[in-house]
Each structure stands twice: as structure tokens, then as C-alpha cells.
Amino acid sequence: MEDKKKNETRQSTMQNRMENMNGQKPKTISIVISVYNEEKALHEFYREATPVFEALPWNYELIFVNDGSADASGQILAELAAADPRVRVINFSRNFGHEAAMLAGLDHSSGEGIVCMDADLQHPPECVAQIIEKFEEGYEVINMVRTKNKSAGFIKNLTSAFYKFLNKISDVKLENNASDFFALTANAAQVLKTNYREKVRFLRGYVQNIGFNRTTIEYEARARVAGESKYSIRKLFKFSINTILCFSDLPLKLGIYSGIIVGFLGLLVMLETIYEWAVKGTPNGYATIVVLLCFMFAMLFVIVGIIGEYIAILFTELKDRPIYIVHDTKGFPEKES
């Protein structure tokens, strides 16, 4: 019965594709999945997502990017690639981070449309059909906006607040609750692949910043099918700092603003001192001086630290080390292996 259902699904898929071909070769959508220690989720993702993708009007390829997983993820992906010719695998030499994995998937994709998503099924595979509809309507950049997250906790809520804060201090306005679930046409992706190669980057921000004909699709994030989030509070804090520095020069202007504030406070202290001298005869300025010194030195160290962060980013870009290193690939045509 199961084989019969699979055959019926394939026949229906082929019929839909033939109806949409109009004598032309069917288009392909590349689905990029970032993988880091997802051994518990990979089989479930493949089992649930494959029938959904087979029903699409476009052909598809699954590009799994193994971001230096320390568990059995690499072995599972090798088995999937050996069993399914539509599965491609990119193995990194070590862990380079989620954004590097997505960029590697973009670099190795061959479809007319590209979708980036996670392997934990929080990004519903069913949304890919909606994405293709938007592509066929002429949209080139599609932001997936999360309306609800069944596994959302303090960190996810903090992320939403961060978007609002970033929009306040940056000239670039980002969609609230946008995620690493997004889609691009090959033309739009080419811009990211050639012009946005920073070593310190915020890819989902770049996707919303490159222009093109853009739209959004709302979705409800599921609970993780297995495992835990790979973003700790420390990693999110570092990621947030880098994002702010990439999209805003306001921190560099804090020196000017703090100078104005300290100057105003100094004027108030001077007036207060004159008042005490006029009324009491002998002003007591010891506590005031200590407070002002502590405040000014604190502001000074903060500003120096911010400048140091910008210099660190410049130094990273100047070294121009690779964003990622590919150890090996599986399932790609000979010319890409």
C-alpha cells in the first residue's frame, strides 16, 4: 500500500509538472538546510519533507550543509545522499556557524529559486509551495515572518525586542520576527554570493536590504522535532553586537552624545556649586567630583570598547580568511564535487 501511494504521488507530481512546463524544461528549487548536531532530527525531516517536496510543481534538490557536526549527522547525510539522487551534502572541515552554512548552500545551489531553512522542522516544509507561488508571481525575495512560535521562550522574545531596537538605530528597516527561513531567486542570490562576502555578517538582514521585488509570507513555527537550540545567550549576545555594528554607526557617535551629556551635567554641577557657595559659604564638592569622575571614566571605557569592536571587525575583514572550508561534498554533479 505504501509503495502504491508513493507511485500515485509521483505520477500526480509529474502530471502537475507537465501541465506547468508548457513545452519547457521544469524549473528547479534548491532547498538549503543547515545542519549542526541534528542526528535526532534528520530522518524525521527527510521523512516528512520529501513527500511535500515531491508534490511541488518544480523539481527540487536538497542541499544539506553539515556545519562541522560532532554527532552522527554526517553519516546520516551520507546515507541519504547515497539513496536519493536529489540529496546533496556539503561537509565543512569544522564548525563555521549557521550563517556560513547558509552562504555555502547559496554558493552551491543550481536552482532558479533557493530556500534556506533549518532541519528541526520549525520551518514548515509546506511553506515551500507558497514560496514557489510567489516566485511565479514575479517576486524575487521572500521573507518568512514568524507569527507564533510554539517553543518560544525568553531568548526568542528577546530576539523580537532586538529587531525593534535595531530598527530604531539603523537606517535599514528589518521585518520584525524575520528568521533564517527565507527564499531568493537565483538572480537575487547572486548578489549575496558576489557582493556580500563579509566575514562578520547578518545574512537575514542582507536579504532584506538588497532590494528587488520583495514580499513576505507569514508562518507559525512548530516546536522542534528533536534536540535543542544551538544559540546560547552568550552566542546571541555576540551575534547581536556584531549585527548592530554591521548595520549602524550610532555606537561611534556615542562619544559626541556622551560629551554633550557630561558637559550639561558639568554645567549643572557648576551652578549647584555656585549656589552652595552663595548660600552656605563653603561648598562640599568631594562627593560630586567622585561621582562625575566615575561617570566620565565609565563612558570613556565604553566608547573605547565600542571603537575596539569596530577595529576588530575591520581587522577580521582585512585578514580576508575564508568564510568556510569545505571538507568534501556528496551527491553533486562531477563538475561541482
Side-chain angles (χ1 to χ4, degrees):
M1 285 294 295
E2 186 174 351
D3 291 339
K4 183 179 179 181
K5 288 182 179 179
K6 288 182 178 179
N7 289 332
E8 290 176 352
T9 301
R10 290 193 182 96
Q11 290 175 3
S12 176
T13 301
M14 290 302 298
Q15 183 178 355
N16 290 335
R17 287 174 180 163
M18 290 298 294
E19 290 175 355
N20 287 304
M21 279 170 59
N22 294 325
Q24 298 178 355
K25 181 181 178 182
K27 294 181 179 179
T28 299
I29 190 162
S30 301
I31 302 168
V32 177
I33 304 104
S34 174
V35 177
Y36 179 62
N37 293 339
E38 297 286 2
E39 62 179 358
K40 296 179 180 178
L42 286 174
H43 282 302
E44 183 65 22
F45 175 87
Y46 182 79
R47 183 191 66 78
E48 182 172 335
T50 300
V52 175
F53 297 152
E54 286 181 347
L56 296 174
W58 291 15
N59 292 329
Y60 74 93
E61 62 174 356
L62 293 176
I63 303 177
F64 290 94
V65 185
N66 180 20
D67 186 21
S69 298
D71 61 4
S73 296
Q75 180 181 348
I76 295 172
L77 292 177
E79 293 171 356
L80 292 177
D84 189 341
R86 295 163 298 190
V87 173
R88 289 90 162 87
V89 179
I90 303 168
N91 290 310
F92 282 176
S93 62
R94 63 171 176 82
N95 178 250
F96 284 91
H98 182 59
E99 296 218 337
M102 289 191 293
L103 192 57
L106 292 176
D107 290 341
H108 289 76
S109 61
S110 60
E112 287 83 357
I114 305 165
V115 178
C116 288
M117 62 194 308
D118 292 340
D120 55 18
L121 287 175
Q122 283 194 301
H123 300 158
E126 295 82 7
C127 291
V128 177
Q130 295 176 265
I131 290 172
I132 290 178
E133 289 178 4
K134 293 298 182 182
F135 281 151
E136 292 178 341
E137 290 173 9
Y139 293 103
E140 297 176 87
V141 177
I142 302 171
N143 294 306
M144 306 299 295
V145 178
R146 186 176 58 244
T147 58
K148 185 178 179 182
N149 192 334
K150 293 182 179 179
S151 61
F154 172 74
I155 292 180
K156 290 292 184 183
N157 294 329
L158 194 63
T159 302
S160 299
F162 169 73
Y163 270 113
K164 295 178 182 178
F165 172 73
L166 185 61
N167 285 336
K168 291 288 185 182
I169 66 172
S170 172
D171 294 332
V172 178
K173 303 305 177 185
L174 307 179
E175 292 281 351
N176 288 333
N177 293 322
S179 66
D180 290 325
F181 187 18
F182 58 84
L184 305 161
T185 61
N187 186 37
Q190 188 63 33
V191 175
L192 292 178
K193 292 191 283 187
T194 57
N195 300 320
Y196 286 81
R197 308 294 294 191
E198 290 98 326
K199 307 304 179 290
V200 180
R201 76 202 74 81
F202 183 47
L203 192 57
R204 73 181 77 166
Y206 296 159
V207 168
Q208 299 181 51
N209 189 39
I210 60 175
F212 293 91
N213 194 9
R214 191 178 74 180
T215 189
T216 61
I217 295 176
E218 294 183 345
Y219 75 98
E220 181 178 326
R222 306 179 185 178
R224 288 179 60 91
V225 67
E228 299 177 352
S229 174
K230 306 304 185 296
Y231 279 107
S232 63
I233 293 180
R234 182 182 65 84
K235 287 183 178 180
L236 280 176
F237 178 75
K238 181 179 179 182
F239 183 67
S240 300
I241 294 296
N242 288 338
T243 301
I244 291 171
L245 299 184
C246 285
F247 277 88
S248 176
D249 61 355
L250 179 62
L252 284 174
K253 298 175 182 177
L254 286 179
I256 298 173
Y257 300 144
S258 61
I260 294 172
I261 293 171
V262 171
F264 180 72
L265 289 176
L267 179 62
L268 293 179
V269 171
M270 182 184 70
L271 294 175
E272 193 269 342
T273 303
I274 293 173
Y275 172 77
E276 287 198 1
W277 174 77
V279 174
K280 300 179 181 179
T282 306
N284 180 16
Y286 176 76
T288 303
I289 292 173
V290 171
V291 170
L292 280 177
L293 284 175
C294 290
F295 177 77
M296 286 188 290
F297 271 106
M299 290 301 302
L300 178 63
F301 286 133
V302 168
I303 294 166
V304 170
I306 290 171
I307 294 173
E309 288 291 334
Y310 277 101
I311 293 174
I313 290 177
L314 292 174
F315 183 53
T316 300
E317 298 297 334
L318 185 63
K319 288 186 290 187
D320 197 27
R321 291 174 181 171
I323 297 174
Y324 60 86
I325 299 173
V326 176
H327 181 272
D328 61 79
T329 63
K330 294 179 175 62
F332 285 94
E334 287 293 328
K335 62 180 180 179
E336 294 186 26
S337 298

